[in-house]
Amino acid sequence: MSQHGKSGRGWAPRRASDRGSPWVRRGDSRNQGEQGRTHRGGRGGGGQNICRGFRTGHCRFGANCRFSHDPATLVEQDPLRPVRERPEITPEQQQARADYNAWKRLIKSPPIPSDTRTMEMLWGGALAVLDEGDREWTQLLPRDLDDEEYYGREHLQTLLSMVANSNGCRMFVDLAHPFLLVITHRTMLNCLSVDTFVGNLYNYISGSNGSRALPFFNRLCRAIVEAHFQPFTTELGVNVAGTLIAMSTAICELLRRERRAAFHEDLPGIVDSLGSIPDIIDIDKRSSTFQVIANRVAELRAMIARANGLLDQHEERREGSVSTTVVTSTYPRDLVVPGGRHDNDKMDIAKIQILPTEDEIRYNLEEYLPSTDPEQLHFLADPTGRHLDIQFRLLRHDTFGGLKEALGGLLTAVEKEPALLNKPKLNLGDVQVHSYPNAYVRYISYDQRRGLESQISFPQLPLLRKKLPSERRTYWEESRRLDEGTLLCFLSLRGSDGSILFFTVSEKSTAGKETSLCSESHQSTIVAKLATHNQVDVDSMIRLSCQNTRGVLIEFPGVLLATFVPILENLQSMQQQSRLPFRRWVIPDRIGANGNMSPFLDVPPPIYARGARFTFSLNAILKNADENLALSPNTAIDDPTTIDELEAKTRLDRGQCRALVAALLREFAFIQGPPGTGKSYLGVDLIRVLLSCKSEAMLGPIIVVCYTNHALDQFLEHLVRVGIEKIIRIGGRSQSTILEGKNLSIVSQGETKTRFERFLVAEAYTRLETAEKTISKRLGFLHSVQKRPDWANLERHLANRYPRIHAQFAMVDDDDGFETVGRDSFDLWVSKKYSSDSKEPEKTGSSLSTRELLQVAAQNVQCVSTQDRHRLVEYWVQEIREDGTNQVFEQVKSAEGFRKQQIGIYDDVDRRVLQTADVIGVTTTGLAKKISTLKHVRCKVVICEEAGEVMEPHMLSALLPSVEHFIQIGDHQQLRAKVTNHSLSLESQKGALYQLDRSQFERLSVGERERPRLPVAQLDVQRRMRPEIAALVRETIYPGLVDHETTKGLPDVVGTRSNVFWLDHDNVEEGVKQDMHQKSHSNLWEVEFTYALVRHIVRQGVYQSSDIAVLTPYSGQLQKLRAKMRNEFEIVLNERDQETLAKDGLVNEEDIGENQHADGQSESAKRPLQKKKLSDLLRIATVDNFQGEEAKIIVISLVRSNKDKKVGFLKTTNRINVLLSRAQHGMFLIGNTKTYSNIPMWAKVLGMLQATDSSANRMTLPDLVLKEGANLRATVVFLGAVIAARRSVTPKACIKSSPVLSLVSASTVRVTTAARNQHAAKTAAFV
């Protein structure tokens, strides 16, 4: 196609007179073309030698330098880099280089008007480079387009300024198509290494507030419609549907990066055109293309509505009955609008600071908290904005609500009584803290890897002051105090006003440094960094350090910002973009809206499965590998023929078959799995099926999200066992040896960086190295000025700010013409020695203002009194500190840009590795931490296990932008999500308004008032519990639960007469004691009996202690059970229970590292496991941290026993369900039946047990068989302990006394006198 004669085709560049000529360039270079640039050695030049200044990032010649500024040359020629053997370049790589260089030549020359051929070559060539996928060139392309050395931006301007007349619409669309595909290409939008360059391009494309891009999109929409109706026999040369998708994606991305463009007057019309064009050009409404465009249009309309405040105020009348298991108020509440209560009370959640401000902490009235009830008024009427607003505010309040209240009270108390700062232990009510009085900011430094940091010192813990260094080290290493990432608060007084500053622990140093937690006997030092990033806090930190201000350091154990800040930030981002994938399922419209009268939502197949010929291959899960079976997306979910065939040809039961079909054929699917029904087994088969169509549907990796590390490890191990090897596990808390080599941190080590990335990393490293030295020098100077405000430190400031004052000190002669030597005149002036013989009397006094003092000093510094001289010096020091702090802040801010660039490159390496996986495994917390990377991984399927335990804000974050298929597997009738603030929980009366612990799974499964429910596929065959145990949950919660045949043959528990038994007692519990900081309940009698029962069962010789688990609802009881049993068993506490004990303050500080060797290693670590009396592991856990687990025998200590019949935690059916469904062979409950009979579900369970004589106040043991004597010995030990617990006498005395016979049933003591005498001596030794 010729470069000339194109105007006749009906299009032309926009006239220069309309918006300024795009052809005018700097100076006369616009006419030089390529010839005008050949003499330069910049990135486009021919100089082969690398510029030395450019290597360090400081070339003063810039674009005119005659040496090379090519990063590729830097990487190849840098003599400082180790020489590595270069891999052989393949012919494909050589061709890719040639293609890229050929394309690059196009942007080295300015555009020519009407040159459509160059436009086609430029954008078609760019698309070819990106499609080819060679990372070296796909990363250089956006950089070169953005480089001012070339004419990329001018070519962009030429395309964006095109205008199509009636005959040129087709040409316009044909030229715009590849351009749109380039700027929305996955390698452009997903590559974190080049995100800065891509952002620059979008900012240029946008123009001021969208003034360049949106008129272009407007013209393009009209051209598409006009081209469709033009009377030509040939079709458009491009895929119009693809153009529409690319255009909608480009507009979304543009608004994300340039939010002010949402206010452009053309935008609503463009979006309306995008929404109507699919109908005009007859795109099939059932196609994936139509749905993608519709989703984009809905997203854009929400963004426009948010930007302009055009929220639909239409509200329907509230009527009808409640369709939920949770009874909530239907009384209409007044509309409350946030804003104005304090400096962090904003209407827009995107403007709320995540951490509470000091003004917010001081606010002592009730803050704004919206209700989750959709029938209650909310200041936002847009459902998406409302939902995100509610979830953000509730999650933030759950994290900081109690903390703010406690700190606010403490701040007020300290201002009234400053001595509280020196109090060894602070009591903040229900908020568990560790306090370190007399703390101070020892030093501030800048680390190029971690940023600005503070060393905070405080007196060594009293129990460690007389310990050896090795003992102190072991204590701190074993203690969970001051773990990395933990939130800290430094509270101090500034005058009479309290001040707070938030930090996080950045390094828990215990060795290798002069200052650490254990290096000094009298003092500990922790390294922390500011939790906030604003200049006010940086100034406060530097002031604290310079003035050596003392305060109290407060630690909030278990509060890790990294676990929830990313979630809150992601919700803010979603709100800004009005983005909520699967909005119509997450926030269903009212029944009757849009003519839908069904009580259930009709969820279609995922978008990727809507193609005419697409089917799900089920061959991977068939029993017979020679057979073939496929599932069409058009199949009815409840089709009995399909279910029959699937059940016959696979190893799934009927309920699992129904659930598999439902999961595949619904884009938003729920599977409910009661205890023991094989949720994980089904999940594995589901993934096997999805991987079979991975290539065809371009699914990318499947992301598996679990609530706990243990559940995630188990699930991924199942995948490995069925042959799925391409698994990457995110997070460092895996305990699985099978998954060790599949962790992201290990796998990513094998991924190489591109030359461009290596250049960027090297450049950032050089800049950070320089910044570290500069910032450290500036911080050192600020410390020096504060410590020594002498002439050497103040001279430059006085010379710059107060030259007349400076001149009086610079050269001072006495009356005889002799120059003063020795101390500087300024230093003498400050000390008043120099002015003692001054002829001028002191004329100033403390009543003068600082400004007046400066005026006097400018005339004659000798006229300033001694007192006021110190005032001036303090003022100058303050000025220097403020100026220096500002410089430090700006330098740190600049350095952070380079550090983020480095992090972005490493994150992109992780992204590329993740993209190659079949399955990515991550916990909900890990997902939050890695959300910025995972958002750029192209994945279409997310499967969430344990969905009933996941808070909705976390679930919303899992809705990644590219997801088309979201499957939740869980059980809302087991444990709910955990909340920190009880007032937000359904278990509290007030919490019914907020229901933060109600998962999305439960909310949509049960349904909300006057809104349809999401259909749920329920599994119904349990393979875990013996029928007697399963009956307890079947009769109360799961009426359709069926026992698998294998459960009917489970063996009886050896050593007991009953497999399920409730031992009743009336021994009163130990209550909560606030004065002793006891925050949890316990029952000492149950501790003793549980200990005896476990010993008895283990000594039967059939069960290992690892087959047994001891459960209790309270952490207080957990701590006492562990203390009682630790001498007999190796106690195993899961990670979450350890965190709970630490957070509740139930870890005995004296026990940490109490048995130490000289080398600092704990005795328990040195002592072989077999030295335990019972050489096996015993699991002890709280109920809340045992969901998903099981054991052959479960022993339950219920704890609560009181006259008020208060049950506490175990009043909810969810917890009772979990508690009763963990055991396989046998279950033994120990508790007060009168206390628990007050709860309906417990009453029903007790009735069932009493009907089978499985509940009594004594426990009957089976007849003893005296073949070897072991049974008698174990039984006597057990009974002795039981009687000791009941009668508070020693076991030995009990055995010799008659109460033994009266307290044990007749069948228990059917032992001959001879047999007893025969074993008497032996028995006494074991009692």
Side-chain angles (χ1 to χ4, degrees):
M1 186 178 294
S2 172
Q3 294 183 7
H4 307 288
K6 286 292 171 186
S7 59
R9 293 295 301 272
W11 75 276
R14 180 177 289 275
R15 293 173 53 193
S17 60
D18 292 340
R19 290 194 304 173
S21 173
W23 315 122
V24 179
R25 289 183 56 82
R26 300 172 295 276
D28 296 328
S29 61
R30 71 190 183 113
N31 297 321
Q32 293 175 357
E34 188 66 17
Q35 291 78 13
R37 292 170 177 263
T38 54
H39 70 281
R40 298 192 221 165
R43 289 177 179 171
Q48 295 302 312
N49 295 325
I50 184 68
C51 170
R52 181 176 299 178
F54 179 68
R55 179 184 294 144
T56 61
H58 303 286
C59 177
R60 61 192 180 93
F61 298 104
N64 295 318
C65 180
R66 63 190 181 90
F67 295 102
S68 174
H69 285 191
D70 187 352
T73 310
L74 172 64
V75 174
E76 293 170 1
Q77 297 186 10
D78 190 348
L80 301 178
R81 294 182 62 85
V83 178
R84 298 192 304 180
E85 183 179 350
R86 297 182 62 185
E88 183 178 351
I89 299 178
T90 65
E92 291 78 8
Q93 291 173 324
Q94 292 177 345
Q95 184 61 47
R97 179 192 292 270
D99 292 343
Y100 184 77
N101 289 333
W103 173 84
K104 188 174 178 180
R105 281 196 295 271
L106 297 173
I107 60 172
K108 290 181 179 179
S109 301
I112 301 174
S114 305
D115 186 2
T116 58
R117 175 61 176 166
T118 299
M119 286 188 189
E120 291 174 348
M121 293 174 62
L122 177 65
W123 299 112
L127 184 58
V129 170
L130 297 177
D131 284 341
E132 194 170 310
D134 190 307
R135 284 200 303 272
E136 296 286 352
W137 315 116
T138 58
Q139 291 180 353
L140 286 175
L141 189 143
R143 186 211 67 173
D144 289 340
L145 269 177
D146 181 50
D147 197 333
E148 291 186 357
E149 289 294 310
Y150 309 129
Y151 293 94
R153 292 193 173 190
E154 285 79 357
H155 283 280
L156 281 169
Q157 173 66 39
T158 301
L159 180 69
L160 293 171
S161 62
M162 285 194 309
V163 177
N165 60 32
S166 58
N167 296 322
C169 296
R170 289 170 179 262
M171 175 62 71
F172 188 14
V173 176
D174 286 345
L175 290 173
H177 179 76
F179 161 72
L180 292 173
L181 294 182
V182 167
I183 65 173
T184 60
H185 201 279
R186 62 179 183 274
T187 57
M188 295 276 277
L189 300 186
N190 291 333
C191 182
L192 298 170
S193 298
V194 299
D195 190 62
T196 299
F197 304 108
V198 175
N200 292 340
L201 290 174
Y202 265 94
N203 288 337
Y204 181 80
I205 291 169
S206 169
S208 177
N209 299 333
S211 59
R212 184 179 292 117
L214 294 179
F216 166 76
F217 290 130
N218 202 0
R219 297 194 299 274
L220 180 57
C221 287
R222 291 200 302 267
I224 291 174
V225 175
E226 291 176 12
H228 178 72
F229 289 108
Q230 281 181 355
F232 288 102
T233 55
T234 58
E235 295 290 335
L236 275 169
V238 297
N239 180 352
V240 179
T243 303
L244 292 174
I245 292 176
M247 179 162 48
S248 61
T249 303
I251 298 175
C252 285
E253 189 68 19
L254 185 144
L255 295 184
R256 185 178 73 83
R257 295 178 183 270
E258 181 55 64
R259 295 192 180 99
R260 288 173 297 181
F263 296 97
H264 197 282
E265 59 184 7
D266 288 350
L267 184 58
I270 295 170
V271 175
D272 289 340
S273 297
L274 275 173
S276 61
I277 288 176
D279 290 325
I280 294 173
I281 64 177
D282 298 326
I283 295 178
D284 186 358
K285 292 184 178 181
R286 296 171 297 178
S287 67
S288 59
T289 300
F290 186 92
Q291 189 60 54
V292 169
I293 296 172
N295 291 343
R296 291 276 194 279
V297 168
E299 187 176 334
L300 287 169
R301 282 177 174 154
M303 294 172 77
I304 296 170
R306 169 178 163 76
N308 298 321
L310 303 177
L311 303 177
D312 183 10
Q313 298 299 322
H314 178 67
E315 285 287 335
E316 300 176 21
R317 297 287 299 175
R318 300 176 181 84
E319 55 187 0
S321 59
V322 178
S323 60
T324 175
T325 56
V326 181
V327 179
T328 57
S329 171
T330 59
Y331 186 80
R333 302 164 64 88
D334 293 334
L335 176 64
V336 181
V337 179
R341 294 171 177 81
H342 47 75
D343 63 359
N344 204 27
D345 184 32
K346 313 287 187 182
M347 287 186 66
D348 186 356
I349 62 171
K351 296 179 180 178
I352 295 176
Q353 296 182 42
I354 301 296
L355 266 74
T357 64
E358 185 172 319
D359 190 44
E360 182 180 1
I361 289 172
R362 290 181 180 276
Y363 184 75
N364 56 11
L365 299 179
E366 190 172 356
E367 68 175 287
Y368 171 70
L369 279 181
S371 171
T372 55
D373 185 354
E375 300 305 309
Q376 295 295 339
L377 291 175
H378 190 280
F379 70 95
L380 293 175
D382 170 57
T384 297
R386 170 184 173 137
H387 192 67
L388 295 172
D389 178 271
I390 291 171
Q391 298 303 322
F392 173 89
R393 294 181 190 275
L394 293 182
L395 178 60
R396 184 175 180 272
H397 183 73
D398 182 55
T399 306
F400 293 117
L403 183 149
K404 287 191 299 182
E405 184 178 348
L407 280 180
L410 179 62
L411 201 58
T412 303
V414 165
E415 290 173 342
K416 293 180 180 178
E417 188 180 348
L420 286 174
L421 289 177
N422 300 319
K423 190 175 181 181
K425 288 188 177 181
L426 294 176
N427 183 3
L428 298 188
D430 292 334
V431 179
Q432 179 65 34
V433 299
H434 298 307
S435 58
Y436 308 92
N438 203 25
Y440 65 100
V441 179
R442 184 171 187 165
Y443 196 74
I444 301 174
S445 60
Y446 183 81
D447 182 274
Q448 60 180 285
R449 291 182 296 110
R450 296 193 299 262
L452 198 64
E453 293 183 320
S454 296
Q455 293 182 14
I456 304 177
S457 295
F458 52 87
Q460 185 64 266
L461 298 182
L463 63 92
L464 298 179
R465 291 173 188 171
K466 296 183 180 180
K467 299 283 188 181
L468 296 173
S470 59
E471 294 174 324
R472 292 197 298 270
R473 176 180 175 182
T474 302
Y475 171 88
W476 281 112
E477 287 178 347
E478 292 184 358
S479 171
R480 301 186 73 92
R481 282 186 177 223
L482 296 174
D483 280 344
E484 291 185 8
T486 302
L487 181 66
L488 307 173
C489 176
F490 190 90
L491 194 155
S492 61
L493 285 175
R494 188 176 184 180
S496 60
D497 295 329
S499 175
I500 59 172
L501 207 55
F502 286 111
F503 293 87
T504 57
V505 179
S506 57
E507 182 182 10
K508 185 179 180 178
S509 177
T510 57
K513 291 190 176 182
E514 293 183 6
T515 55
S516 67
L517 286 168
C518 55
S519 59
E520 300 170 279
S521 61
H522 67 287
Q523 184 172 250
S524 288
T525 301
I526 191 71
V527 181
K529 62 188 302 182
L530 281 172
T532 50
H533 307 283
N534 59 68
Q535 189 162 350
V536 174
D537 288 345
V538 172
D539 179 65
S540 297
M541 179 178 67
I542 293 177
R543 176 180 52 79
L544 290 173
S545 176
C546 291
Q547 297 179 352
N548 200 28
T549 304
R550 301 283 168 154
V552 59
L553 183 67
I554 303 172
E555 175 191 3
F556 300 95
V559 180
L560 304 175
L561 296 188
T563 61
F564 57 82
V565 167
I567 296 291
L568 291 169
E569 290 177 339
N570 192 48
L571 290 174
Q572 287 178 317
S573 175
M574 294 173 73
Q575 181 74 301
Q576 285 179 322
Q577 301 171 37
S578 296
R579 182 182 67 83
L580 183 59
F582 304 111
R583 178 263 177 216
R584 55 179 176 159
W585 315 130
V586 174
I587 319 171
D589 293 327
R590 189 187 302 274
I591 293 176
N594 303 320
N596 178 27
M597 301 302 297
S598 173
F600 289 96
L601 293 165
D602 183 16
V603 184
I607 291 176
Y608 67 80
R610 296 182 194 175
R613 299 180 180 179
F614 182 87
T615 59
F616 290 101
S617 173
L618 304 177
N619 295 346
I621 62 173
L622 298 181
K623 291 185 287 188
N624 188 347
D626 297 329
E627 291 185 320
N628 292 300
L629 186 61
L631 178 67
S632 169
N634 298 321
T635 305
I637 290 177
D638 55 354
D639 179 39
T641 304
T642 301
I643 303 301
D644 290 342
E645 187 175 12
L646 193 57
E647 184 180 12
K649 294 185 177 182
T650 66
R651 293 178 176 83
L652 301 174
D653 60 50
R654 193 167 188 81
Q656 291 172 330
C657 290
R658 285 195 298 266
L660 178 70
V661 172
L664 293 174
L665 300 187
R666 291 183 180 133
E667 65 175 7
F668 200 78
F670 281 8
I671 299 175
Q672 183 187 3
T677 53
K679 296 186 292 293
S680 297
Y681 183 84
L682 174 63
V684 170
D685 273 6
L686 181 58
I687 287 179
R688 293 170 71 186
V689 172
L690 289 169
L691 289 179
S692 298
C693 65
K694 179 186 175 185
S695 298
E696 180 185 358
M698 294 184 292
L699 297 183
I702 297 171
I703 296 183
V704 175
V705 184
C706 292
Y707 178 66
T708 63
N709 281 290
H710 180 67
L712 180 62
D713 285 345
Q714 282 187 326
F715 191 86
L716 297 182
E717 285 176 353
H718 290 322
L719 295 178
V720 173
R721 293 190 184 100
V722 299
I724 300 173
E725 289 291 342
K726 295 186 70 175
I727 297 172
I728 295 180
R729 207 267 200 208
I730 297 176
R733 291 193 169 185
S734 172
Q735 302 297 320
S736 169
T737 55
I738 297 175
L739 302 174
E740 282 179 353
K742 299 184 182 298
N743 195 279
L744 176 61
S745 61
I746 303 298
V747 180
S748 62
Q749 293 175 7
E751 180 71 9
T752 59
K753 301 182 189 71
T754 64
R755 287 185 301 169
F756 182 51
E757 287 173 333
R758 293 198 296 272
F759 159 71
L760 291 177
V761 169
E763 182 185 44
Y765 178 80
T766 301
R767 297 288 182 90
L768 286 170
E769 202 172 39
T770 303
E772 183 175 343
K773 295 176 182 177
T774 304
I775 295 170
S776 298
K777 183 178 179 181
R778 174 63 58 180
L779 289 169
F781 174 71
L782 292 177
H783 280 275
S784 177
V785 170
Q786 186 71 40
K787 189 175 181 180
R788 295 184 300 278
D790 54 17
W791 180 246
N793 285 324
L794 297 182
E795 180 186 8
R796 177 174 294 184
H797 178 71
L798 293 177
N800 293 334
R801 190 74 65 90
Y802 307 103
R804 294 178 62 185
I805 296 176
H806 176 270
Q808 298 179 61
F809 294 115
M811 184 66 69
V812 181
D813 295 332
D814 65 12
D815 294 339
D816 298 326
F818 292 97
E819 182 177 323
T820 304
V821 295
R823 295 182 65 187
D824 285 306
S825 57
F826 175 85
D827 299 335
L828 293 172
W829 175 77
V830 173
S831 63
K832 193 64 175 66
K833 293 179 180 179
Y834 181 85
S835 60
S836 60
D837 297 327
S838 174
K839 298 178 182 179
E840 294 288 339
E842 294 186 0
K843 297 180 180 179
T844 62
S846 58
S847 61
L848 295 180
S849 67
T850 303
R851 183 177 181 180
E852 292 170 330
L853 277 177
L854 289 170
Q855 291 174 348
V856 172
Q859 297 298 323
N860 188 349
V861 293
Q862 306 305 327
C863 295
V864 181
S865 69
T866 303
Q867 179 184 356
D868 288 334
R869 294 179 188 191
H870 289 289
R871 283 178 59 197
L872 283 178
V873 171
E874 289 176 1
Y875 179 72
W876 292 330
V877 169
Q878 180 182 339
E879 284 186 321
I880 291 175
R881 189 180 66 245
E882 290 174 352
D883 292 344
T885 299
N886 182 63
Q887 293 178 28
V888 167
F889 179 78
E890 293 301 326
Q891 290 168 341
V892 168
K893 188 177 179 181
S894 176
E896 284 300 296
F898 292 105
R899 202 162 68 89
K900 287 181 180 178
Q901 179 176 298
Q902 270 190 335
I903 293 172
I905 292 170
Y906 290 117
D907 283 347
D908 197 65
V909 171
D910 286 345
R911 179 195 64 82
R912 296 198 297 263
V913 170
L914 292 170
Q915 194 66 64
T916 65
D918 284 337
V919 176
I920 298 172
V922 63
T923 62
T924 52
T925 300
L927 178 70
K929 292 180 180 178
K930 208 68 177 175
I931 188 73
S932 60
T933 302
L934 289 172
K935 283 197 297 188
H936 291 87
V937 176
R938 300 187 313 278
C939 60
K940 295 184 179 180
V941 182
V942 172
I943 299 176
C944 183
E945 275 258 9
E946 304 176 301
E949 287 189 87
V950 180
M951 272 196 278
E952 182 141 7
H954 289 257
M955 193 64 77
L956 293 176
S957 288
L959 296 173
L960 301 173
S962 60
V963 171
E964 297 178 5
H965 196 177
F966 197 72
I967 303 168
Q968 296 187 37
I969 304 175
D971 184 5
H972 58 279
Q973 291 173 309
Q974 296 189 55
L975 291 181
R976 288 191 171 107
K978 291 184 181 178
V979 294
T980 303
N981 196 318
H982 187 63
S983 65
L984 300 179
S985 169
L986 277 162
E987 295 181 19
S988 72
Q989 185 174 0
K990 185 179 179 181
L993 280 173
Y994 310 116
Q995 305 180 13
L996 184 60
D997 56 343
R998 193 183 195 196
S999 65
Q1000 185 183 96
F1001 189 97
E1002 179 179 2
R1003 178 174 66 84
L1004 296 177
S1005 298
V1006 175
E1008 296 176 289
R1009 193 164 37 236
E1010 288 301 306
R1011 279 161 175 78
R1013 297 163 54 188
L1014 197 79
V1016 180
Q1018 185 179 33
L1019 309 182
D1020 54 9
V1021 179
Q1022 72 88 14
R1023 295 170 170 80
R1024 174 188 296 165
M1025 304 164 278
R1026 66 182 325 114
E1028 305 97 293
I1029 300 174
L1032 300 179
V1033 293
R1034 178 167 44 246
E1035 298 299 323
T1036 52
I1037 297 178
Y1038 307 107
L1041 192 64
V1042 177
D1043 298 324
H1044 193 269
E1045 286 299 318
T1046 56
T1047 64
K1048 299 174 182 177
L1050 292 174
D1052 294 329
V1053 178
V1054 177
T1056 62
R1057 183 172 289 276
S1058 301
N1059 295 315
V1060 182
F1061 191 81
W1062 184 316
L1063 179 68
D1064 183 24
H1065 71 87
D1066 56 5
N1067 295 276
V1068 180
E1069 68 194 58
E1070 299 285 320
V1072 175
K1073 300 177 181 177
Q1074 293 291 345
D1075 58 331
M1076 297 178 62
H1077 301 283
Q1078 182 176 331
K1079 307 293 185 184
S1080 186
H1081 295 272
S1082 60
N1083 192 307
L1084 296 178
W1085 188 89
E1086 289 189 11
V1087 170
E1088 295 291 340
F1089 192 93
T1090 302
Y1091 167 66
L1093 179 58
V1094 171
R1095 279 173 53 104
H1096 168 69
I1097 295 173
V1098 171
R1099 286 183 178 271
Q1100 302 307 304
V1102 176
Y1103 298 104
Q1104 298 291 323
S1105 59
S1106 57
D1107 296 328
I1108 305 171
V1110 177
L1111 302 185
T1112 183
Y1114 293 99
S1115 58
Q1117 186 77 343
L1118 176 75
Q1119 191 268 343
K1120 286 181 169 56
L1121 286 167
R1122 180 177 67 165
K1124 178 68 178 178
M1125 297 185 175
R1126 68 196 321 173
N1127 292 328
E1128 292 285 339
F1129 303 96
E1130 280 287 347
I1131 302 300
V1132 177
L1133 294 184
N1134 66 39
E1135 191 174 295
R1136 288 179 293 163
D1137 275 326
Q1138 293 179 41
E1139 292 172 353
T1140 300
L1141 289 177
K1143 192 171 182 179
D1144 291 347
L1146 294 171
V1147 177
N1148 189 347
E1149 300 286 342
E1150 301 288 346
D1151 289 343
I1152 301 178
E1154 62 177 351
N1155 299 317
Q1156 303 297 329
H1157 293 276
D1159 61 358
Q1161 189 174 5
S1162 67
E1163 182 179 348
S1164 60
K1166 280 182 165 285
R1167 184 170 57 242
L1169 185 61
Q1170 58 266 29
K1171 286 193 175 182
K1172 287 289 185 185
K1173 296 177 183 178
L1174 293 172
S1175 58
D1176 217 335
L1177 306 176
L1178 176 67
R1179 287 180 289 173
I1180 305 179
T1182 56
V1183 179
D1184 283 4
N1185 291 329
F1186 205 71
Q1187 178 160 312
E1189 305 285 338
E1190 60 184 27
K1192 291 182 179 178
I1193 297 175
I1194 296 289
V1195 179
I1196 302 169
S1197 172
L1198 294 171
V1199 179
R1200 302 305 298 270
S1201 177
N1202 54 75
K1203 62 181 180 180
D1204 297 323
K1205 296 185 178 181
K1206 291 184 177 180
V1207 172
F1209 284 152
L1210 289 180
K1211 66 183 178 182
T1212 61
T1213 58
N1214 303 73
R1215 279 197 180 92
I1216 301 172
N1217 181 19
V1218 172
L1219 191 71
L1220 298 178
S1221 58
R1222 302 301 99 195
Q1224 297 171 299
H1225 298 178
M1227 179 174 65
F1228 304 96
L1229 300 95
I1230 306 165
N1232 187 329
T1233 57
K1234 292 181 181 178
T1235 298
Y1236 283 88
S1237 61
N1238 192 41
I1239 304 300
M1241 183 170 174
W1242 278 122
K1244 192 166 185 178
V1245 168
L1246 278 167
M1248 296 170 63
L1249 293 175
Q1250 290 166 355
T1252 57
D1253 295 329
S1254 298
S1255 175
N1257 61 1
R1258 65 190 67 190
M1259 192 169 184
T1260 303
L1261 301 181
D1263 295 344
L1264 299 178
V1265 181
L1266 301 177
K1267 292 183 178 179
E1268 299 178 2
N1271 288 332
L1272 177 61
R1273 179 182 66 189
T1275 302
V1276 173
V1277 173
F1278 168 59
L1279 294 178
V1282 171
I1283 298 169
R1286 292 181 67 88
R1287 292 298 180 89
S1288 301
V1289 294
T1290 63
K1292 190 171 183 179
C1294 289
I1295 290 173
K1296 291 183 178 180
S1297 63
S1298 59
V1300 176
L1301 300 179
S1302 61
L1303 288 173
V1304 182
S1305 65
S1307 61
T1308 305
V1309 294
R1310 288 175 187 168
V1311 183
T1312 63
T1313 302
R1316 287 202 303 272
N1317 292 336
Q1318 180 182 352
H1319 293 280
K1322 207 170 186 179
T1323 299
F1326 290 95
V1327 174

